[in-house]
Amino acid sequence: MGEAPAFYADNLQNGFDIKTIKACETSISIQCKTYVIGSSDDAFVVRICDQTTGNWVIPNILGTKPKPGKGYSAAALNEDRIVMIKKGSSSDDCIWFLEVDTPYVKEQKQILGAEVVAWSKGVRGNAEAPIVISGPSGVGKGTLISKLMEEFPSMFGFSVSHTTRAPRGMEQDGVHYHFTERAVMEKDIKDGKFLEFASVHGNLYGTSIEAVEVVSDSGKRCILDIDVQGARSVRASPLDAVFVFICPPSMDELEHRLRARATESEEQILKRLRNAKAEIEQGQSSGIFDHILYNDNLEECYQSLKDKHSLTSSMTNTAAPLGINLPEEHSVSAMDSKIIIKGGTAELENASKNL
Ligand SMILES: Nc1ncnc2c1ncn2[C@@H]1O[C@H](COP(=O)(O)OP(=O)(O)OP(=O)(O)O)[C@@H](O)[C@H]1O
Ligand SMILES: Nc1nc2c(ncn2[C@@H]2O[C@H](COP(=O)(O)O)[C@@H](O)[C@H]2O)c(=O)[nH]1
């Protein structure tokens, strides 16, 4: 359980020099480690004390960090993450998680061979539903997905599709696609191993059930980059997903992007451009998609994908409170995956109920 205000850095023992941090800090113990979270002027800083050895470690911090601030409380949740509630912040910025021992963090500890923690932003509502992203070839789906995964590495995981097309220069088997022989893929489709599949630009593409399970088993939200036929199949499947269609600003710009990417032959470029017209028509009028975004300016489209039109708005319960106004006197704790805020005001009680 963490309470605000907690204690100042100067109060800490164990000989670790953290006197440079001026602001208030909160400490949370999980298993045999104590996590000290403090806010300096420009960032949240994290230190870990191993209670068995008394040693302090500064971990690698992954994910997008919350904006620093002094009013916040923290509580341990499920032995693998710390929930942090920020005082007086907007609805989409008030709840954060510091993952300390989630499957993602465990994996990163192994890869980096060092202590790791990861920030992820808390969301309310339909946070778990996979996100299906469709749009014509070259519109920028992969670019947008890469940005999302880079900014929220612990929140999103990519569903690695199977394809019979040949790998491009930098593409790795098992990372960008599972590159497969047609006969093998056709047999697996017959054996019911695929959630959806389609013939796209002359090759077979498909999402295996396992590809989606791998992501959900890792505790992340699954992102699928599939064509409109595939999106239609997923829409008809029992998988509850959010569907986003990405449109190009114009056909000329789409052609320019495909040519500038320089990954396809002239014949493939022409084929993809021909198919794009039908895809855009279906994307806009089929009723499959919950959100249609225009990828003209990349940053603006990315912001829309994250905030306004699609991901966060579809995940946010509209009845959710507008941020949480934590008073000085309160306590935060977690029980049975519920976060309990104790304090005096009715507003706070409502906020706590909504959490
Ligand atoms: N908003 C944008 N403005 C200019 N160029 C962009 C924009 N978005 C993406 N691009 C560029 O367009 C090219 C195609 O993007 P990307 O590979 O992400 O498309 P895609 O939709 O994933 O294509 P495919 O379906 O063929 O995999 C890339 O070179 C990328 O850098
Ligand atoms: N129906 C599916 N479509 C898929 C899948 N994986 C990718 N795709 C789509 O194919 C095109 C071309 O991709 P490229 O990598 O060859 O440029 C693109 O529109 C993808 O969205 C899938 O599993 N199922």
Side-chain angles (χ1 to χ4, degrees):
M1 181 172 114
E3 301 199 352
F7 51 87
Y8 287 87
D10 286 2
N11 293 345
L12 286 171
Q13 304 297 314
N14 291 314
F16 187 77
D17 180 15
I18 54 170
K19 291 190 173 68
T20 46
I21 298 172
K22 303 279 190 299
C24 195
E25 298 200 324
T26 298
S27 77
I28 297 289
S29 290
I30 296 181
Q31 292 168 12
C32 58
K33 289 182 181 162
T34 300
Y35 298 84
V36 178
I37 307 168
S39 174
S40 70
D41 286 343
D42 52 2
F44 272 103
V45 282
V46 181
R47 277 122 170 71
I48 306 172
C49 178
D50 186 327
Q51 290 160 6
T52 51
T53 60
N55 290 337
W56 285 90
V57 175
I58 300 176
N60 292 290
I61 302 182
L62 308 179
T64 304
K65 298 172 187 141
K67 288 194 200 96
K70 285 184 183 160
Y72 60 93
S73 280
L77 205 60
N78 299 340
E79 296 277 288
D80 64 3
R81 71 195 73 200
I82 294 166
V83 58
M84 232 182 64
I85 300 168
K86 290 175 70 190
K87 178 179 176 176
S89 40
S90 60
S91 161
D92 70 342
D93 190 44
C94 61
I95 302 169
W96 286 80
F97 294 97
L98 183 69
E99 300 184 26
V100 299
D101 202 31
T102 56
Y104 169 70
V105 165
K106 282 184 180 141
E107 180 193 319
Q108 293 301 314
K109 280 181 193 171
Q110 254 189 355
I111 293 169
L112 297 172
E115 193 60 71
V116 171
V117 294
W119 285 108
S120 56
K121 203 182 223 182
V123 290
R124 279 165 280 173
N126 188 16
E128 298 308 320
I131 302 156
V132 171
I133 299 189
S134 285
S137 177
V139 73
K141 302 177 298 293
T143 308
L144 290 162
I145 292 169
S146 299
K147 284 172 79 68
L148 207 52
M149 307 260 297
E150 212 168 280
E151 189 176 357
F152 303 100
S154 61
M155 191 188 276
F156 296 106
F158 184 62
S159 156
V160 180
S161 295
H162 283 63
T163 182
T164 58
R165 86 150 161 74
R168 294 176 188 140
M170 299 294 284
E171 285 180 334
Q172 285 173 269
D173 190 28
V175 176
H176 300 92
Y177 280 106
H178 298 290
F179 294 100
T180 314
E181 296 292 324
R182 183 175 277 267
V184 175
M185 191 163 163
E186 281 174 349
K187 176 166 187 317
D188 286 347
I189 290 170
K190 256 195 191 151
D191 291 346
K193 293 186 183 168
F194 279 79
L195 173 69
E196 65 75 31
F197 61 92
S199 175
V200 190
H201 317 313
N203 281 298
L204 203 51
Y205 293 76
T207 308
S208 70
I209 294 166
E210 192 183 354
V212 177
E213 280 177 357
V214 163
V215 178
S216 44
D217 287 354
S218 72
K220 296 185 198 174
R221 191 172 188 194
C222 187
I223 302 183
L224 289 81
D225 173 347
I226 60 178
D227 85 320
V228 176
Q229 308 167 74
R232 193 187 295 276
S233 304
V234 177
R235 193 46 126 178
S237 82
L239 191 76
D240 184 23
V242 175
F243 293 77
V244 182
F245 188 78
I246 313 286
C247 271
S250 67
M251 287 304 289
D252 282 352
E253 174 62 17
L254 186 68
E255 179 168 357
H256 170 73
R257 287 181 196 172
L258 267 178
R259 290 192 184 285
R261 190 173 73 180
T263 50
E264 261 64 44
S265 64
E266 180 63 20
E267 189 193 347
Q268 262 293 323
I269 290 176
L270 295 177
K271 188 182 268 184
R272 285 174 183 237
L273 286 171
R274 273 197 306 275
N275 292 341
K277 288 197 180 123
E279 283 181 275
I280 293 167
E281 251 177 54
Q282 288 177 37
Q284 290 177 326
S285 62
S286 61
I288 298 172
F289 295 94
D290 302 307
H291 307 285
I292 296 176
L293 306 182
Y294 284 83
N295 183 15
D296 189 352
N297 176 295
L298 181 61
E299 283 312 315
E300 284 173 16
C301 183
Y302 179 57
Q303 276 306 320
S304 301
L305 180 66
K306 277 197 305 183
D307 305 329
K308 290 185 212 129
H309 305 298
S310 46
L311 303 190
T312 42
S313 61
S314 60
M315 294 188 297
T316 303
N317 172 0
T318 47
L322 289 174
I324 295 171
N325 194 10
L326 291 177
E328 290 297 315
E329 295 291 325
H330 75 276
S331 70
V332 174
S333 57
M335 194 170 65
D336 297 337
S337 295
K338 289 195 175 67
I339 299 159
I340 299 158
I341 307 173
K342 287 190 187 144
T345 66
E347 182 187 1
L348 189 64
E349 277 165 25
N350 285 337
S352 181
K353 267 184 218 147
N354 275 310
L355 284 177

